[in-house]
Amino acid sequence: MGWWSLAVAGCAAVSLAACDWWVGATTEGRVYDRLAELKPAPVALLLGTSPRNAGRPNPFYQARIKAAQELFAAGKVAGILVSGDNRRANYNEPVMMKADLVRAGVPREFVTMDFAGFRTLDSVVRAKTVFQQNRVIVVSQRFHAQRALFLAQHVGLEADAYVAEEPQWNWWIRVRVREVFARALACLDVWVLNRQPHFLGPVEPVKLQQR
């Protein structure tokens, strides 16, 4: 490998590390793992993932459902917006998340589905523009929640995050490595490409429980 190739590889590595650090640093103080410390918001934005991975239950998914249910039961939110992928006829994250939240005790009428949350950027932008939210509590694992907060800050959506439980290391390490590249892409999206969601569409209401 020549010097030019080494220089390019070195710059890429530094850029990845810088984006990873920046996303975490700029969201410090807005990520919570204790309900008591979390300021209430009208809506929880539950970010989707697959319920199963390689034929086994996905611990990331299970932990997010549990965290969102905890928020609602504690009165920290009055509704839940579930946002995920719905691009294939036999795969529908919002429907699956809503069904599991209802099984966990959240009233069906206070779970709103966003069927166009194909990426985290889409979920965040649509929460503000389509579902007309000014403040949300993001629900995901810490590394993913930080990226969502970074994107929310860029689009003017006030947000904190409630951390879902982290899975065992054999799951976490693989996903965390992938997150480094996802954060670099998020920085590229907002600083260079000004990327927009795949779909926007008309305003949709989020039904909230009156408390």
Side-chain angles (χ1 to χ4, degrees):
M1 183 181 293
W3 285 108
W4 175 249
S5 298
L6 286 173
V8 170
C11 288
V14 170
S15 297
L16 287 171
C19 287
D20 185 56
W21 175 84
W22 182 256
V23 168
T26 56
T27 58
E28 193 68 31
R30 293 189 286 133
V31 182
Y32 298 85
D33 54 14
R34 295 183 181 180
L35 277 173
E37 299 174 353
L38 190 61
K39 184 169 67 173
V43 169
L45 174 59
L46 174 56
L47 299 174
T49 187
S50 174
R52 303 186 70 81
N53 186 289
R56 296 180 295 168
N58 182 355
F60 289 92
Y61 175 90
Q62 296 170 319
R64 292 182 199 183
I65 295 295
K66 180 176 181 290
Q69 185 276 331
E70 289 173 349
L71 279 175
F72 189 87
K76 294 292 184 177
V77 296
I80 301 175
L81 175 59
V82 296
S83 183
D85 196 341
N86 177 38
R87 274 181 284 197
R88 302 193 303 275
N90 62 344
Y91 183 79
N92 193 317
E93 287 178 358
V95 166
M96 291 183 284
M97 288 190 289
K98 180 171 183 174
D100 284 332
L101 285 169
V102 171
R103 277 191 284 270
V106 179
R108 180 180 302 274
E109 60 268 31
F110 302 123
V111 181
T112 301
M113 292 182 288
D114 174 12
F115 295 106
F118 303 126
R119 299 177 56 205
T120 305
L121 182 144
D122 297 57
S123 297
V124 168
V125 174
R126 284 174 56 83
K128 181 174 177 61
T129 59
V130 174
F131 294 95
Q132 298 288 284
Q133 298 304 303
N134 294 315
R135 172 169 160 71
V136 299
I137 297 175
V138 172
V139 178
S140 189
Q141 279 70 29
R142 181 178 296 273
F143 60 86
H144 186 205
Q146 288 177 328
R147 174 159 48 95
L149 293 183
F150 168 78
L151 293 167
Q153 183 175 350
H154 176 73
V155 301
L157 175 62
E158 184 182 350
D160 292 322
Y162 182 52
V163 173
E165 183 179 356
E166 303 281 0
Q168 296 177 346
W169 280 97
N170 60 329
W171 288 81
W172 186 89
I173 292 174
R174 181 173 67 251
V175 175
R176 184 62 182 87
V177 170
R178 188 172 63 192
E179 177 65 18
V180 172
F181 293 92
R183 291 186 179 193
L185 181 58
C187 291
L188 185 66
D189 284 342
V190 301
W191 291 338
V192 179
L193 301 177
N194 191 30
R195 194 185 300 274
Q196 300 300 311
H198 286 78
F199 302 108
L200 284 175
V203 169
E204 297 185 35
V206 177
K207 189 171 182 180
L208 305 179
Q209 185 179 51
Q210 300 301 313
R211 293 175 170 171

